[in-house]
Amino acid sequence: MQLGTNVLINYILIFFILFLFLVLTRRLANKTEDKSYFVMLKSQKTFNLSLSFYASGMGLWIIASPAEVGWYGLGFDVIGYAISAATPFVLLYFVGPRIVQTVPDKATLPQYISQQYGNFAQVFVSIIATIYMSAFLIAEFASINFLFPEISKTSGLIVCTAIAIVTFLYLNISGFKASLITDRFQGISIIALLIIVLVLWISQNGISNIIQASYDGGLNTFTFASFKSALAVILAVTAAEIFSQGYWQRTYSAIDENVIKKSSIYAGLGCFVTVLILGIAGSAGAGFGIENPSLSFIQQIELNTLSRILVIGLCTMLVASSIDTLQSAISSTMALDLVKRGVSEAKIITLIITFGSLGLSFYVTNIFSVFLFADLLAVCLVFPAFYKIKSRKTSQGIVIPTSLGFVSSVLYRFYFIDLDLNPGGIFIPTDLYGLADLNTLGVGSVSYTHLRAHETPEHLVCRVGGEKKKGGGGGGGGGG
């Protein structure tokens, strides 16, 4: 009977937090033109944008995925994963202002791709970005399935469905503005609750015991294989995250270049510290003998009524902050880059992708591996997409190198990887230990060397001539 009462209280807490988000966004009903539904151009200062970057990047995955890496990996793996959480913001620091300057008053990265490469390349990049964001959604829902039954005895399916519906509803009311506003509240709450949970973890286990357990779990072991895996995850995550359109919506919302740069620094530092600490916690979990890698951090904490409420609040904030970001980003990509018909069709497709991801999440056994297939696609794409940012190129200059890189990676795994022993199979770039494989990702990134062959002056002349015949194409679809 007591268990039933506690579970009921946990449900009430989760639904109350979600209800607060609905109330918060209800007053922000956006009745302006469609384009403002996807971006708030030049409106955000450093503090708000820093919180927004941080909250949108720090989903529920941070409770499970860094712990998995710490549990399976060694010292370089933990450090590398923490660096990979920050490097997308390093890339935004350097590339973000240049792209905003080159293609102003937009909302997504594929709109820049459209102007620089053409409409076909825009669709190509948008599909890869959508695959990555869908993988992120699957990982978030899978994290709910792993964590919420463990910490609150609630049904993962019920919590997934409730969060998916509520975030979709408040985005439906106010669009991207709702995601930005909730980011501020979520960002502050996530930082505060994380500090409390980490203090609770340290106070219960003792700092000396945690250090010893992390050493027993391999944190102080540094091998060349671990170093290669760390480089691989830095390459993979940096490439993939830069195609998360939520970051580009926020980049275009910055008041000016200085705000983009300062916010990137603050958010990057925050993400690095967060993932590093939680990766160390995963190593400690391995040292303490916890058998479930995904739960190797959270199972170190004995939860009483108060601490359980804090952890449930933290997890609800984390998952809502990332899912609303992904839903808004997918919707903008659909409306501005793929469907190009306006808000209504984009909403329907986003809803289908959301619940499709929710269904697939119940087949996930490892959060980290969910990202890796999309990471491989992004690694093949990132160098062609950002090479010589301000130069115009042809669609072939992005499609051919990316496709060549992906096919080369698959062929490498088919011929040189023992697929009977490797847990990733042919399409997921893992090593024997289930961590990121540098060789596979390195083969994919070699597509960069083929880029110059598609950038000759003749190609550029043909492209300009073709645009004139069409009346000037390649501008990228505006919302509407």
Side-chain angles (χ1 to χ4, degrees):
M1 184 66 181
Q2 182 65 33
L3 178 63
T5 302
N6 288 337
V7 172
L8 180 60
I9 292 172
N10 294 337
Y11 275 122
I12 291 172
L13 174 62
I14 294 167
F15 294 147
F16 176 73
I17 293 173
L18 296 176
F19 176 74
L20 282 180
F21 292 155
L22 272 178
V23 171
L24 190 64
T25 55
R26 179 63 182 171
R27 300 178 182 179
L28 302 174
N30 196 338
K31 302 185 183 298
T32 57
E33 58 182 299
D34 283 354
K35 191 173 182 181
S36 65
Y37 184 88
F38 299 113
V39 69
M40 294 177 64
L41 292 171
K42 300 186 183 304
S43 63
Q44 301 301 300
K45 296 182 179 179
T46 301
F47 178 76
N48 287 341
L49 190 61
S50 299
L51 281 176
S52 187
F53 273 152
Y54 179 79
S56 60
M58 295 287 97
L60 190 58
W61 65 272
I62 68 169
I63 303 296
S65 192
E68 290 174 351
V69 172
W71 195 94
Y72 284 111
L74 303 174
F76 281 131
D77 297 291
V78 172
I79 297 170
Y81 202 39
I83 292 173
S84 75
T87 45
F89 297 105
V90 176
L91 198 54
L92 275 179
Y93 178 94
F94 291 105
V95 173
R98 297 180 67 187
I99 286 182
V100 171
Q101 182 183 18
T102 304
V103 189
D105 301 331
K106 300 296 182 182
T108 69
L109 180 64
Q111 289 178 301
Y112 152 77
I113 296 294
S114 173
Q115 180 162 316
Q116 302 303 98
Y117 286 96
N119 290 330
F120 182 78
Q122 179 187 23
V123 172
F124 183 79
V125 172
S126 298
I127 291 172
I128 292 178
T130 302
I131 290 173
Y132 171 69
M133 292 185 287
S134 299
F136 203 148
L137 265 179
I138 293 170
E140 284 298 282
F141 287 129
S143 298
I144 294 174
N145 296 329
F146 287 155
L147 293 169
F148 273 84
E150 173 70 22
I151 64 175
S152 64
K153 309 302 179 186
T154 54
S155 163
L157 177 60
I158 293 175
V159 175
C160 282
T161 304
I163 291 174
I165 290 174
V166 170
T167 52
F168 183 81
L169 283 176
Y170 67 68
L171 288 172
N172 186 64
I173 293 170
S174 305
F176 175 66
K177 184 185 291 185
S179 184
L180 264 185
I181 296 298
T182 55
D183 277 349
R184 299 174 198 170
F185 178 71
Q186 291 160 348
I188 294 171
S189 301
I190 287 168
I191 293 170
L193 290 172
L194 263 177
I195 291 172
I196 294 171
V197 169
L198 290 172
V199 168
L200 192 65
W201 168 57
I202 293 171
S203 65
Q204 288 186 2
N205 293 280
I207 188 68
S208 59
N209 291 333
I210 289 173
I211 293 173
Q212 184 58 52
S214 66
Y215 288 168
D216 294 340
L219 184 65
N220 63 338
T221 302
F222 298 91
T223 66
F224 182 64
S226 174
F227 179 72
K228 286 178 63 180
S229 177
L231 287 180
V233 79
I234 291 171
L235 175 63
V237 175
T238 304
E241 283 287 282
I242 207 65
F243 293 103
S244 180
Q245 300 311 306
Y247 287 144
W248 290 103
Q249 288 174 297
R250 286 157 178 78
T251 299
Y252 273 107
S253 297
I255 287 178
D256 55 32
E257 175 181 331
N258 288 331
V259 169
I260 296 173
K261 290 187 172 183
K262 289 180 181 178
S263 300
S264 298
I265 292 172
Y266 297 144
L269 287 173
C271 291
F272 171 79
V273 171
T274 301
V275 174
L276 179 64
I277 293 173
L278 294 171
I280 292 171
S283 296
F288 282 131
I290 294 174
E291 296 182 358
N292 189 328
S294 301
L295 302 176
S296 56
F297 166 57
I298 208 69
Q299 284 188 346
Q300 295 176 54
I301 304 173
E302 293 183 11
L303 300 177
N304 57 31
T305 301
L306 178 60
S307 60
R308 191 179 303 277
I309 289 173
L310 292 174
V311 171
I312 292 171
L314 169 63
C315 290
T316 305
M317 296 283 183
L318 282 168
V319 74
S321 70
S322 58
I323 286 181
D324 70 25
T325 295
L326 291 165
Q327 287 175 327
S328 175
I330 290 171
S331 183
S332 69
T333 301
M334 289 296 161
L336 304 178
D337 302 309
L338 285 174
V339 179
K340 297 185 180 181
R341 287 193 165 199
V343 176
S344 299
E345 293 84 354
K347 289 178 181 177
I348 294 171
I349 297 172
T350 302
L351 195 60
I352 292 171
I353 291 175
T354 297
F355 281 93
S357 300
L358 194 160
L360 291 173
S361 70
F362 287 91
Y363 296 95
V364 173
T365 58
N366 182 285
I367 303 295
F368 183 65
S369 64
V370 173
F371 291 106
L372 283 177
F373 173 71
D375 288 348
L376 176 59
L377 292 174
V379 165
C380 298
L381 175 62
V382 68
F383 290 117
F386 291 104
Y387 177 67
K388 291 188 177 180
I389 287 176
K390 294 188 177 183
S391 301
R392 286 201 168 198
K393 316 166 189 78
T394 64
S395 289
Q396 292 93 324
I398 196 168
V399 175
I400 291 176
T402 302
S403 302
L404 180 64
F406 180 73
V407 171
S408 299
S409 297
V410 171
L411 290 175
Y412 166 78
R413 292 188 68 80
F414 181 79
Y415 284 108
F416 296 102
I417 298 293
D418 188 339
L419 299 178
D420 293 328
L421 297 177
N422 191 290
I426 196 167
F427 292 115
I428 301 177
T430 59
D431 59 18
L432 286 174
Y433 305 101
L435 298 170
D437 180 51
L438 181 62
N439 292 342
T440 304
L441 295 168
V443 169
S445 66
V446 168
S447 60
Y448 167 79
T449 61
H450 299 273
L451 188 62
R452 291 174 183 263
H454 304 282
E455 270 194 356
T456 62
E458 291 81 2
H459 273 96
L460 294 177
V461 169
C462 290
R463 172 164 170 72
V464 172
E467 286 179 346
K468 287 181 178 178
K469 290 177 183 177
K470 295 176 184 178

